[in-house]
Amino acid sequence: MKQNQLTRNNIILLICLLIFILFFPVLSLYRVLMKHLLFTSIVLFGTFSLNFVKRAQKILIASGIVTISLNWLDLFFTNQVLDLVFFFSFFCFNLFIVVFMVRHIAKSKNVNLTIIINSINGYLLIGILGAVLLAMTEILQKFLYHTDTGAINFAGGTARGFHDFIYLSFVTLTTLGYGDVTPVSAFAKSVALIIAITGQLYLTILIAILVGKFLSRTETD
């Protein structure tokens, strides 16, 4: 895939992620439909965000089709088990993308626009994946223990939608912590710790890689 195509795909992926994080929570009409459209867009453009080898690309396309199918089935058939299967599929798919993004950034010789956008997309995807993990935790809490008590204590009582999990994930990822939403169960607390640690490690490693590339390029020049 040509460099300009990769840049275009990463820019579109970035726009989708920003809409999901910043504008999706304030939508009142068609929020459910928008959520499924954004999930589909993230999977679609994530598949073509990097120059994967042919075998990896085929696996990504196949798993992406499964994930998108589960996403739209979930729109028409409301079921906690189906929600859980879709979230798991989406998580595994995008975790693969994030790992390869970091690998691509580490192997790149120059820091260009695509690399910068890759870096931002990787961080935002980690936040989305954190939201997915938190949503799975909430479902598992009610599904396994058959209780109305959630794994996460929200200010309004319970989560009103996926946007609540996005909020908690990014508040945790950035270690902001307003305190209006708190994990209650042991599993939810572990997930919150994973999100917080992952966010800090990602920034630390990424900054070290990018600064190292800039310094080596300066020395060469």
Side-chain angles (χ1 to χ4, degrees):
M1 194 178 297
K2 294 180 180 179
Q3 187 64 38
N4 58 346
Q5 291 177 312
L6 287 175
T7 304
R8 180 199 62 197
N9 291 343
N10 276 281
I11 290 173
I12 297 173
L13 178 60
L14 176 61
I15 292 169
C16 293
L17 290 169
L18 289 175
I19 291 172
F20 206 170
I21 296 162
L22 301 177
F23 300 107
F24 169 72
V26 299
L27 295 174
S28 55
L29 297 174
Y30 309 112
R31 179 179 284 170
V32 175
L33 179 60
M34 282 297 298
K35 181 181 77 171
H36 287 80
L37 285 171
L38 288 168
F39 270 131
T40 301
S41 300
I42 290 169
V43 171
L44 182 61
F45 289 102
T47 305
F48 301 99
S49 61
L50 296 170
N51 257 332
F52 296 103
V53 295
K54 288 185 178 180
R55 184 180 177 183
Q57 190 79 63
K58 288 178 181 179
I59 294 172
L60 272 177
I61 291 172
S63 58
I65 291 171
V66 172
T67 304
I68 290 172
S69 300
L70 288 169
N71 176 39
W72 288 102
L73 278 174
D74 186 52
L75 177 64
F76 298 104
F77 304 99
T78 304
N79 185 284
Q80 284 190 334
V81 175
L82 187 57
D83 287 343
L84 202 58
V85 173
F86 162 67
F87 281 139
F88 180 76
S89 177
F90 182 86
F91 179 84
C92 292
F93 178 89
N94 283 286
L95 181 61
F96 184 85
I97 297 292
V98 171
V99 169
F100 269 80
M101 278 183 173
V102 175
R103 185 181 175 185
H104 175 69
I105 294 166
K107 286 188 172 183
S108 63
K109 296 180 179 180
N110 299 316
V111 179
N112 51 33
L113 179 61
T114 307
I115 295 298
I116 297 297
I117 298 173
N118 265 162
S119 305
I120 298 170
N121 285 342
Y123 187 74
L124 296 181
L125 275 173
I126 289 172
I128 298 293
L129 292 181
V132 169
L133 273 181
L134 291 167
M136 290 173 66
T137 304
E138 189 77 359
I139 294 171
L140 285 170
Q141 175 79 6
K142 296 178 181 179
F143 186 72
L144 295 177
Y145 299 102
H146 306 286
T147 176
D148 292 332
T149 304
I152 301 163
N153 182 25
F154 292 89
T158 57
R160 289 170 291 178
F162 189 74
H163 57 284
D164 289 317
F165 297 112
I166 292 176
Y167 170 75
L168 175 56
S169 177
F170 277 94
V171 166
T172 307
L173 186 70
T174 58
T175 65
L176 183 60
Y178 282 118
D180 55 337
V181 186
T182 53
V184 177
S185 71
F187 187 31
K189 290 177 180 178
S190 296
V191 170
L193 284 172
I194 290 169
I195 294 169
I197 293 169
T198 303
Q200 297 309 301
L201 284 177
Y202 181 88
L203 291 176
T204 303
I205 294 170
L206 199 70
I207 290 171
I209 291 172
L210 293 178
V211 169
K213 290 182 185 300
F214 272 119
L215 288 176
S216 60
R217 185 176 178 181
T218 303
E219 289 175 0
T220 305
D221 294 342

